[in-house]
Amino acid sequence: MKRIAIDMDEVLADTLAEHIVRYNRDHDEAVTKADLKGKWLWEIVSADRQERLEGYLRSEDFFEDLGVMADSQRVVKALAQQYEVFIATAAMEFPNSFGPKFRWLRRHFPFLPPTHFVFCGDKSILQTDYLIDDQPLHFRRFSGEGILFTAPHNLHVTGYRRVDNWRQVGQLFLAD
């Protein structure tokens, strides 16, 4: 059985939407995902607000109630019937994210065993055939094939197979 590793943030969980909501609320702005075409949120926020922006990621409740990417639950459940599926998410940079991310995964993807949740930093340690991720830097030393999941910050990245949404992931990996 082939193995697929799937990133959590910006692939399964809509982390960016929560980041934008908190930023707009605290700064009385109206930033949208459309404003970020080819950029990270960090790139459009003034220097004096960078610390606050990072502080959101360090808060205890940030990762607890993120939105679920459309169709991800249905497609991941179908993938798990044909592949060995792992969720690989960075948790080392923000250690307090471990508990909320674990609870989020258990709540939204209860059909996956918790033994298939991998909390890591460097994803090159993963021994899977595919890695679906929004950050191409994780593909550099990864031994399988990287599949780039479209997000505003990676719109101009080339050189990888790309999927724009979970329906396309299903089309790529699941037989009709």
Side-chain angles (χ1 to χ4, degrees), residues 24-151:
N24 286 340
R25 174 196 68 205
D26 293 347
H27 299 287
D28 197 29
E29 291 201 24
V31 173
T32 67
K33 285 183 181 183
D35 297 328
L36 302 177
K37 289 187 176 148
K39 296 180 180 176
W40 292 87
L41 182 57
W42 310 94
E43 294 178 78
I44 68 164
V45 169
S46 61
D48 62 319
R49 294 179 175 176
Q50 296 287 321
E51 189 174 328
R52 184 94 182 252
L53 200 57
E54 185 174 321
Y56 299 140
L57 297 172
R58 295 188 189 288
S59 68
E60 291 290 329
D61 66 339
F62 184 83
F63 294 95
E64 194 77 45
D65 294 312
L66 300 172
V68 179
M69 294 296 215
D71 301 310
S72 63
Q73 292 162 305
R74 177 185 57 76
V75 173
V76 171
K77 190 171 191 174
L79 288 173
Q81 302 301 310
Q82 296 181 33
Y83 298 86
E84 193 171 7
V85 174
F86 295 86
I87 306 304
T89 185
M92 303 306 108
E93 190 175 353
F94 303 104
N96 63 333
S97 71
F98 176 84
K101 283 185 172 194
F102 181 80
R103 289 187 295 275
W104 188 92
L105 286 167
R106 291 296 293 149
R107 185 168 55 253
H108 297 290
F109 295 87
F111 49 86
L112 294 175
T115 56
H116 285 212
F117 300 159
V118 181
F119 294 87
C120 60
D122 183 348
K123 293 183 183 175
S124 70
I125 65 158
L126 301 170
Q127 295 298 309
T128 61
D129 299 287
Y130 305 97
L131 170 59
I132 303 170
D133 206 307
D134 65 301
Q135 294 200 43
L137 67 94
H138 292 298
F139 304 150
R140 290 188 188 131
R141 296 184 332 132
F142 174 65
S143 61
E145 181 184 356
I147 308 290
L148 189 62
F149 195 92
T150 298

